[in-house]
Amino acid sequence: MENINFRIKKLFSEKRFNELVKLVEDKIDRSKQTSKFINIYAISKIFSLGVDTKNLVFVIKEFENSFNLKPLNEDSISAFIYFTNYSLNLFQVEKEQDIQNFCIDNFKKSINFFKKNESLLDRNKKILLLMIRIFTEFSDIKKIIYYFEKIIENKQDNPLNYCAYIQSNSYINNWDQTKFFENSVLINHKIKSIPKDHLVALNLKKNNKIRIAFLSSDLRLNHSVNYFIKSILQNYDKEKFEIVLFLNMPSELEDETTSELKQLVNQNYNINKLNDIDAINLIRNNKIDILIDIMGYTSSNRLALFKNKLAPIQVNWLGYTNTTGLKEMDYIIADPNLILPDEAKLYSENIIYLDKIWNAHCGFNFPRIKTIAPFKKNNYFTFGSFNNFTKINDEVVETWSKILINNKNSKLLLKSSSADFNEDLLNKFKTFNISNSVKFIPRTKTFEDHINYYNQIDIALDTFPYNGVTTSFEAIWMGVPVITMSGFNFNSRCGESINKNIGMKSLIAEDDKHYVDIAVNLGTNKNYLNNIRKKIFNVAPNSPLFNKEEFSKNFLKIIYNLKKN
């Protein structure tokens, strides 16, 4: 046996994984082995057979056997990390229901194992980040914030973790804008400045045309930012402007959407594999006049690049609806409905106010068909929200439950782009005894199938304090009114700005009770609702929400003046 163990270690160190797997499966009873042995075998199995679904399921089960062995030690903890990480990765890529259920069961096992051993594991940053990923899949924002605070308490955070922590607090009414600002300015101290002698000089000379650049990790698939940035890319004066895209995503993830956007601009570069110094120098060498960040704290952001100044003028727009806290981020683009004049001190950037709305949707390439309100054929009333489940916090659940209780014979349709069903969310509705009125719609295979589900909704319900921007634009495009809540900062007032720009101030609630009252009134006053639906359907295409030509003209006028002044 000692000879076999020696051979296994040698094969593993020499990365001869196929031979190792064959030796173990032919000669050894794995049920009597240590965690370390099982880990070596499972890792070799991955390198030997790859990460197809069948092999991953097998390997995950091996890691489960490993971390359940006594006593708890470094090897069993490693097995637990592998088990959880591979379960999360499998859940992300494999949508077959049996596999999804397998992964969800594994998440629960991970949570139980962590709770049982929390005193030993709660300083392990890898494990805390895995807990955050699990509770992100469960849309449990309080747990997400809790584990971020553990990382911060352990002094293990980095700028990306801290950005995610700040953004997570946007989902609940926990902080006011002062708290967001105070935490955001700390990013300045967490991101290191790169020595100037490592960087090429910023270009301060005048270009023949104003060179604008956008930096994003999300210009692919049906990501929401594409519908808004396209409004500009399809409608800019090529005699005055040149536009460059900097993509920060693996090149293998680029798709038809990416290609379409590339064709609308002068140049594009993928900086995903570049370190900060090389990325900064590439961008500076492109002599950009104004660089617009459309990620902020979201996605795979590259705030460290902006901290070290990519262009003479840097702007925060679209992807993150709050302050970045960076001294080097010169401007944030908003509108008069989003940041009040006396609140400007709570944003580190100078505020640029667009006249009407801070962004505009490019619309969709299929005919709009006016449909009758669903209640006329259903004989019941249908509310709906297609926002990500993380935005549906406890206060939102309680408010929506009161709406269902007060609107007899009504239903609530929930649909998310990130999950088909959320058991924890359903259980929250169960506490109000209305779970039978809540229906989850699975993710659709095509975008057109998704958008047509709005034809099943009488009234859309917006989330708060984190409003649903893209989903509100979608609902309004389809002629569905949206009830929203008034807010206290940029992020929580997006719904207000949308409804004001469609002429629907009456659908902006002042508080939870008012929100319920508006919904009950619409649910009982059917003629009033019909008139609102007709009005929204008729005015939407030419409203500031979808007038991409007018929006682009105003947006680029401001950009032009920034450079000239």
Side-chain angles (χ1 to χ4, degrees):
M1 187 65 188
E2 286 183 14
N3 185 44
I4 289 180
N5 284 337
F6 175 78
R7 285 177 61 193
I8 287 171
K9 289 178 183 177
K10 189 172 188 296
L11 290 172
F12 190 73
S13 66
E14 294 174 355
K15 300 182 180 179
R16 293 158 63 186
F17 302 115
N18 289 343
E19 294 175 57
L20 189 154
V21 168
K22 188 173 187 314
L23 175 64
V24 171
E25 292 179 349
D26 287 348
K27 303 288 186 181
I28 295 175
D29 180 359
R30 299 194 306 279
S31 66
K32 297 178 181 179
Q33 296 305 316
T34 64
S35 294
K36 184 172 186 176
F37 178 92
I38 297 173
N39 291 354
I40 288 174
Y41 166 68
I43 293 167
S44 300
K45 190 87 172 173
I46 290 171
F47 283 110
S48 174
L49 296 180
V51 290
D52 65 274
T53 299
K54 184 178 178 181
N55 193 40
L56 266 183
V57 169
F58 177 86
V59 165
I60 287 168
K61 290 177 179 178
E62 288 294 308
F63 283 127
E64 181 181 1
N65 293 333
S66 179
F67 77 72
N68 280 320
L69 291 176
K70 306 293 184 195
L72 183 66
N73 57 30
E74 186 177 335
D75 295 314
S76 53
I77 290 172
S78 293
F80 171 69
I81 291 172
Y82 283 124
F83 169 82
T84 307
N85 189 54
Y86 280 120
S87 295
L88 282 159
N89 292 346
L90 183 60
F91 186 77
Q92 290 284 334
V93 299
E94 180 55 72
K95 302 307 178 185
E96 198 272 321
Q97 195 57 54
D98 287 345
I99 299 297
Q100 291 273 296
N101 293 339
F102 168 75
C103 294
I104 290 170
D105 287 342
N106 288 346
F107 299 160
K108 293 174 182 177
K109 290 173 183 177
S110 293
I111 292 168
N112 290 335
F113 181 84
F114 179 83
K115 285 180 178 177
K116 192 189 304 181
N117 300 285
E118 187 163 0
S119 61
L120 298 172
L121 303 178
D122 71 350
R123 296 192 64 81
N124 187 312
K125 183 179 177 181
K126 282 185 180 179
I127 292 176
L128 293 174
L129 288 172
L130 288 172
M131 290 299 107
I132 289 169
R133 286 181 65 192
I134 286 175
F135 286 111
T136 298
E137 298 298 349
F138 286 156
S139 303
D140 191 332
I141 193 62
K142 289 184 177 179
K143 288 284 198 325
I144 292 169
I145 292 171
Y146 171 80
Y147 287 111
F148 271 128
E149 289 178 343
K150 277 280 186 186
I151 292 172
I152 295 166
E153 180 187 315
N154 295 341
K155 300 190 182 334
Q156 296 173 322
D157 62 294
N158 59 32
L160 280 177
N161 298 152
Y162 207 80
C163 287
Y165 167 64
I166 294 171
Q167 194 207 3
S168 295
N169 278 281
S170 302
Y171 290 91
I172 56 175
N173 280 312
N174 196 30
W175 290 0
D176 58 15
Q177 182 56 22
T178 300
K179 195 77 178 285
F180 278 105
F181 176 70
E182 290 171 350
N183 277 276
S184 297
V185 295
L186 296 177
I187 295 294
N188 276 299
H189 310 294
K190 293 179 180 292
I191 300 177
K192 293 180 180 178
S193 296
I194 296 171
K196 290 184 179 180
D197 60 356
H198 288 56
L199 305 174
V200 301
L202 267 177
N203 176 58
L204 301 176
K205 295 179 181 178
K206 183 179 179 181
N207 294 313
N208 292 329
K209 300 177 184 179
I210 295 176
R211 284 176 65 79
I212 306 167
F214 296 90
L215 193 154
S216 176
S217 298
D218 303 311
L219 302 183
R220 60 189 181 92
L221 298 173
N222 287 316
H223 195 286
S224 57
V225 299
N226 300 316
Y227 295 102
F228 299 97
I229 191 173
K230 201 183 290 184
S231 292
I232 295 168
L233 301 187
Q234 290 176 335
N235 299 282
Y236 68 95
D237 185 343
K238 295 175 177 59
E239 296 300 314
K240 286 184 179 179
F241 302 101
E242 291 179 340
I243 295 183
V244 182
L245 293 182
F246 291 104
L247 310 174
N248 184 51
M249 57 188 173
S251 56
E252 59 268 22
L253 295 182
E254 295 185 20
D255 58 15
E256 291 180 6
T257 299
T258 317
S259 298
E260 180 187 358
L261 295 174
K262 283 181 177 182
Q263 290 169 13
L264 297 173
V265 301
N266 299 89
Q267 293 169 285
N268 65 86
Y269 300 89
N270 193 312
I271 63 169
N272 179 252
K273 291 183 178 179
L274 298 183
N275 62 38
D276 287 350
I277 292 175
D278 289 343
I280 292 168
N281 286 335
L282 171 70
I283 295 172
R284 285 188 175 192
N285 277 327
N286 270 273
K287 300 178 180 179
I288 303 300
D289 293 306
I290 299 173
L291 203 143
I292 301 173
D293 180 22
I294 55 176
M295 291 184 290
Y297 287 179
T298 69
S299 194
S300 303
N301 73 71
R302 298 291 294 268
L303 276 181
L305 305 186
F306 289 90
K307 174 67 180 173
N308 288 281
K309 208 70 174 166
L310 299 168
I313 299 172
Q314 301 188 141
V315 181
N316 170 25
W317 175 64
L318 186 62
Y320 182 61
T321 48
N322 209 327
T323 182
T324 61
L326 283 185
K327 289 186 291 186
E328 293 77 12
M329 191 69 77
D330 303 294
Y331 298 96
I332 183 172
I333 296 177
D335 68 46
N337 304 306
L338 299 170
I339 303 174
L340 305 183
D342 63 347
E343 297 169 351
K345 60 184 181 293
L346 300 178
Y347 297 78
S348 63
E349 304 88 348
N350 295 302
I351 300 165
I352 298 173
Y353 289 101
L354 289 171
D355 289 342
K356 295 176 181 177
I357 194 164
W358 85 104
N359 65 14
H361 196 289
C362 67
F364 303 109
N365 296 323
F366 48 81
R368 297 175 74 238
I369 301 171
K370 187 179 291 186
T371 59
I372 63 169
F375 73 83
K376 290 187 174 182
K377 55 184 177 182
N378 291 337
N379 294 319
Y380 58 82
F381 203 81
T382 307
F383 298 97
S385 171
F386 293 174
N387 290 300
N388 285 333
F389 296 147
T390 310
K391 294 183 178 182
I392 306 176
N393 59 49
D394 292 351
E395 186 180 354
V396 171
V397 169
E398 181 174 358
T399 302
W400 291 357
S401 296
K402 289 177 181 176
I403 290 171
L404 293 175
I405 290 168
N406 285 280
N407 277 275
K408 304 300 181 185
N409 199 28
S410 63
K411 297 185 183 301
L412 173 63
L413 299 185
L414 299 178
K415 182 178 182 295
S416 169
S417 62
S418 60
D420 291 335
F421 173 71
N422 189 297
E423 185 179 356
D424 289 350
L425 181 56
L426 183 63
N427 287 336
K428 290 179 181 179
F429 283 105
K430 282 182 180 178
T431 62
F432 296 95
N433 298 315
I434 49 86
S435 59
N436 289 338
S437 299
V438 179
K439 179 184 177 183
F440 289 84
I441 301 173
R443 284 168 290 185
T444 51
K445 291 183 178 179
T446 69
F447 182 78
E448 197 160 346
D449 287 341
H450 160 74
I451 205 79
N452 283 332
Y453 265 113
Y454 284 98
N455 292 326
Q456 298 185 23
I457 296 175
D458 292 295
I459 299 173
L461 301 178
D462 198 6
T463 48
F464 54 89
Y466 204 139
N467 300 153
V469 174
T470 305
T471 51
S472 294
F473 276 86
E474 289 174 351
I476 289 166
W477 175 266
M478 297 296 287
V480 180
V482 182
I483 301 173
T484 193
M485 181 79 77
S486 60
F488 61 90
N489 66 357
F490 189 149
N491 185 68
S492 59
R493 290 183 182 134
C494 291
E496 286 185 65
S497 186
I498 291 168
N499 269 2
K500 286 177 180 177
N501 276 282
I502 197 71
M504 288 291 143
K505 289 183 181 180
S506 61
L507 301 186
I508 303 171
E510 296 173 4
D511 53 33
D512 297 7
K513 182 180 182 303
H514 189 206
Y515 191 113
V516 174
D517 289 344
I518 293 172
V520 172
N521 180 43
L522 287 173
T524 54
N525 192 338
K526 304 294 195 300
N527 288 333
Y528 177 50
L529 173 60
N530 270 329
N531 290 335
I532 284 179
R533 287 176 61 94
K534 288 177 184 176
K535 178 182 177 182
I536 287 174
F537 187 88
N538 291 333
V539 305
N542 297 315
S543 72
L545 275 66
F546 296 99
N547 191 336
K548 58 188 179 183
E549 293 85 4
E550 184 68 20
F551 175 82
S552 181
K553 178 182 174 182
N554 293 333
F555 185 95
L556 291 170
K557 179 182 177 182
I558 283 175
I559 295 297
Y560 181 85
N561 290 335
L562 276 183
K563 177 59 181 171
K564 292 304 176 185
N565 295 333

